[in-house]
Amino acid sequence: MKLGLVLSGGGVRGIAHIGILKALDEMQIQIDCIAGTSAGSIVGALYAAGHKPDRIFELVKNLSIFKAVRPAFAWTGLLTLDGLKDVLHKNIPANNFNALKIPLTVTATDIKNGQIHYFNSGELIPAVVASSSIPAIFNPVQLNGHLYVDGGILDNLPVKAIRNQCEIIIGSHCNHISPDFDVTNIKLVVERSLLIAMRANTEVSRSLCDVFIEPPGMDRFSSLDLSKVQEIFEYGYRFTKENFSPASFKMQAV
């Protein structure tokens, strides 16, 4: 039975996906295809290329935000993700979807026509960078005559991209919104507002999953705060180990 894994966007919260993958590996759950948005596309690309979760975590943990991003010097965004691009080239040198060990689909939003685009062939790294380019913060990515930004705007949990390829879909979502929220600064208000907006395009996707992994209270972690990477990784791992077993992923698809 073919099993697909879908990884949501979520910035630094996406590190929870790595802990979840580590737990799935320990349960000997074999993933046959992957779809990911933004942070989920980064984790998905590294895993699909053959890197183990512990190795992926080491790469992320040692990647300073100041190395990952660089000034864009452009009106379209404050920063570029050239540093992330360098890390991906070093660890996925083939830079092609067809060279991956597990088939991967990456989402990005075409900012001109307002439509989602699913990448699953050709150059890999530009698609991952496009998927991760949060509007107004990171410079959009131009590919094949189109301008792309973060895929989470339109499809933050891209189940539809692989639903017809798999009998069972596992959704890994790192953007649970808890009812406890204190308005202490504008940054938190903006980030919370984005989480709420993205939740709207996640509800239908969630219903298409056969198994849904969503560690609660993830909104306590900022999407750009790399100081919490160890805690986020361990939380994703523990939550999965404590709430799921190998039998959880051998159910009949709904």
Side-chain angles (χ1 to χ4, degrees):
M1 185 169 286
K2 199 169 184 180
L3 189 151
L5 175 68
V6 182
L7 306 172
S8 75
V12 172
R13 288 186 295 272
I15 291 169
H17 295 317
I18 310 174
I20 290 167
L21 276 169
K22 180 179 173 69
L24 295 179
D25 271 8
E26 290 181 358
M27 295 179 203
Q28 298 184 336
I29 304 301
Q30 181 177 331
I31 307 299
D32 297 299
C33 62
I34 301 172
T37 294
S38 200
S41 75
I42 298 170
V43 174
L46 289 165
Y47 188 77
H51 294 287
K52 296 296 184 184
D54 284 333
R55 170 61 178 163
I56 299 172
F57 179 63
E58 287 303 313
L59 289 173
V60 173
K61 184 172 69 173
N62 294 323
L63 179 63
S64 163
I65 190 66
F66 300 108
K67 294 178 183 176
V69 301
R70 295 171 184 166
F73 301 112
W75 66 269
T76 51
L78 299 175
L79 304 166
T80 71
L81 285 167
D82 287 347
L84 171 64
K85 195 183 304 181
D86 293 343
V87 171
L88 292 174
H89 274 294
K90 182 177 179 180
N91 292 279
I92 314 176
N95 185 27
N96 195 290
F97 280 91
N98 294 331
L100 296 172
K101 297 181 179 180
I102 302 173
L104 172 70
T105 299
V106 167
T107 70
T109 301
D110 187 323
I111 196 68
K112 290 185 178 180
N113 64 26
Q115 295 180 357
I116 197 69
H117 186 86
Y118 299 105
F119 294 92
N120 55 23
S121 63
E123 280 194 282
L124 168 68
I125 292 170
V128 171
V129 174
S131 181
S132 306
S133 295
I134 302 170
I137 297 178
F138 299 117
N139 216 21
V141 174
Q142 188 157 2
L143 288 172
N144 305 319
H146 295 263
L147 201 61
Y148 295 103
V149 295
D150 198 312
I153 295 174
L154 293 178
D155 197 352
N156 201 44
L157 189 70
V159 180
K160 294 188 293 290
I162 60 171
R163 177 70 267 189
N164 63 356
Q165 303 172 35
C166 305
E167 285 75 31
I168 293 180
I169 293 283
I170 301 171
S172 178
H173 188 250
C174 60
N175 296 306
H176 178 265
I177 300 176
S178 63
D180 300 322
F181 176 67
D182 292 325
V183 181
T184 56
N185 59 63
I186 190 170
K187 175 180 174 292
L188 290 177
V189 172
V190 170
E191 187 164 348
R192 177 106 175 161
S193 299
L194 288 172
L195 277 176
I196 293 170
M198 285 191 298
R199 182 171 63 180
N201 72 50
T202 301
E203 289 303 311
V204 172
S205 296
R206 175 174 182 161
S207 69
L208 296 175
C209 295
D210 302 293
V211 182
F212 194 66
I213 303 175
E214 184 184 53
M218 288 297 294
D219 55 348
R220 71 182 186 272
F221 300 112
S222 168
S223 62
L224 293 175
D225 185 6
L226 281 169
S227 69
K228 303 291 187 181
V229 294
Q230 188 74 41
E231 184 179 350
I232 295 171
F233 171 73
E234 292 176 355
Y235 181 49
Y237 172 77
R238 287 197 312 272
F239 176 80
T240 308
K241 292 284 282 189
E242 291 170 1
N243 292 278
F244 298 89
S245 69
S248 305
F249 308 100
K250 295 177 181 177
M251 56 185 285
Q252 292 294 317
V254 296

mmCIF file with all atom_site columns, all heavy atoms in Angstrom, residues 93 96 190 238 246:
data_model
loop_
_atom_site.group_PDB
_atom_site.id
_atom_site.type_symbol
_atom_site.label_atom_id
_atom_site.label_alt_id
_atom_site.label_comp_id
_atom_site.label_asym_id
_atom_site.label_entity_id
_atom_site.label_seq_id
_atom_site.pdbx_PDB_ins_code
_atom_site.Cartn_x
_atom_site.Cartn_y
_atom_site.Cartn_z
_atom_site.occupancy
_atom_site.B_iso_or_equiv
_atom_site.pdbx_formal_charge
_atom_site.auth_seq_id
_atom_site.auth_comp_id
_atom_site.auth_asym_id
_atom_site.auth_atom_id
_atom_site.pdbx_PDB_model_num
ATOM 1  N N   . PRO A 1 93  ? 23.482 17.887 -4.255  1.00 0.00 ? 93  PRO A N   1
ATOM 2  C CA  . PRO A 1 93  ? 24.245 18.385 -5.408  1.00 0.00 ? 93  PRO A CA  1
ATOM 3  C C   . PRO A 1 93  ? 23.597 18.104 -6.759  1.00 0.00 ? 93  PRO A C   1
ATOM 4  O O   . PRO A 1 93  ? 23.829 18.847 -7.723  1.00 0.00 ? 93  PRO A O   1
ATOM 5  C CB  . PRO A 1 93  ? 25.596 17.673 -5.275  1.00 0.00 ? 93  PRO A CB  1
ATOM 6  C CG  . PRO A 1 93  ? 25.346 16.497 -4.391  1.00 0.00 ? 93  PRO A CG  1
ATOM 7  C CD  . PRO A 1 93  ? 24.261 16.914 -3.458  1.00 0.00 ? 93  PRO A CD  1
ATOM 8  N N   . ASN A 1 96  ? 17.963 18.102 -8.827  1.00 0.00 ? 96  ASN A N   1
ATOM 9  C CA  . ASN A 1 96  ? 16.936 17.716 -9.789  1.00 0.00 ? 96  ASN A CA  1
ATOM 10 C C   . ASN A 1 96  ? 15.919 16.795 -9.108  1.00 0.00 ? 96  ASN A C   1
ATOM 11 O O   . ASN A 1 96  ? 16.302 15.888 -8.361  1.00 0.00 ? 96  ASN A O   1
ATOM 12 C CB  . ASN A 1 96  ? 17.564 17.008 -10.993 1.00 0.00 ? 96  ASN A CB  1
ATOM 13 C CG  . ASN A 1 96  ? 16.600 16.915 -12.155 1.00 0.00 ? 96  ASN A CG  1
ATOM 14 O OD1 . ASN A 1 96  ? 15.623 16.171 -12.113 1.00 0.00 ? 96  ASN A OD1 1
ATOM 15 N ND2 . ASN A 1 96  ? 16.872 17.685 -13.202 1.00 0.00 ? 96  ASN A ND2 1
ATOM 16 N N   . VAL A 1 190 ? 0.727  40.180 13.853  1.00 0.00 ? 190 VAL A N   1
ATOM 17 C CA  . VAL A 1 190 ? 0.892  39.866 12.433  1.00 0.00 ? 190 VAL A CA  1
ATOM 18 C C   . VAL A 1 190 ? 1.071  38.362 12.235  1.00 0.00 ? 190 VAL A C   1
ATOM 19 O O   . VAL A 1 190 ? 0.445  37.747 11.372  1.00 0.00 ? 190 VAL A O   1
ATOM 20 C CB  . VAL A 1 190 ? 2.080  40.645 11.830  1.00 0.00 ? 190 VAL A CB  1
ATOM 21 C CG1 . VAL A 1 190 ? 2.398  40.140 10.429  1.00 0.00 ? 190 VAL A CG1 1
ATOM 22 C CG2 . VAL A 1 190 ? 1.777  42.131 11.797  1.00 0.00 ? 190 VAL A CG2 1
ATOM 23 N N   . ARG A 1 238 ? 8.658  13.588 20.395  1.00 0.00 ? 238 ARG A N   1
ATOM 24 C CA  . ARG A 1 238 ? 7.970  13.002 21.546  1.00 0.00 ? 238 ARG A CA  1
ATOM 25 C C   . ARG A 1 238 ? 6.478  12.877 21.294  1.00 0.00 ? 238 ARG A C   1
ATOM 26 O O   . ARG A 1 238 ? 5.863  11.862 21.620  1.00 0.00 ? 238 ARG A O   1
ATOM 27 C CB  . ARG A 1 238 ? 8.205  13.849 22.810  1.00 0.00 ? 238 ARG A CB  1
ATOM 28 C CG  . ARG A 1 238 ? 9.592  13.739 23.403  1.00 0.00 ? 238 ARG A CG  1
ATOM 29 C CD  . ARG A 1 238 ? 9.592  14.254 24.840  1.00 0.00 ? 238 ARG A CD  1
ATOM 30 N NE  . ARG A 1 238 ? 8.918  15.540 24.955  1.00 0.00 ? 238 ARG A NE  1
ATOM 31 C CZ  . ARG A 1 238 ? 9.518  16.717 24.786  1.00 0.00 ? 238 ARG A CZ  1
ATOM 32 N NH1 . ARG A 1 238 ? 10.799 16.765 24.483  1.00 0.00 ? 238 ARG A NH1 1
ATOM 33 N NH2 . ARG A 1 238 ? 8.828  17.840 24.916  1.00 0.00 ? 238 ARG A NH2 1
ATOM 34 N N   . PRO A 1 246 ? 3.160  2.014  15.008  1.00 0.00 ? 246 PRO A N   1
ATOM 35 C CA  . PRO A 1 246 ? 3.166  1.509  13.627  1.00 0.00 ? 246 PRO A CA  1
ATOM 36 C C   . PRO A 1 246 ? 1.784  1.142  13.120  1.00 0.00 ? 246 PRO A C   1
ATOM 37 O O   . PRO A 1 246 ? 1.470  1.343  11.939  1.00 0.00 ? 246 PRO A O   1
ATOM 38 C CB  . PRO A 1 246 ? 4.082  0.286  13.724  1.00 0.00 ? 246 PRO A CB  1
ATOM 39 C CG  . PRO A 1 246 ? 5.035  0.633  14.835  1.00 0.00 ? 246 PRO A CG  1
ATOM 40 C CD  . PRO A 1 246 ? 4.203  1.382  15.832  1.00 0.00 ? 246 PRO A CD  1
#
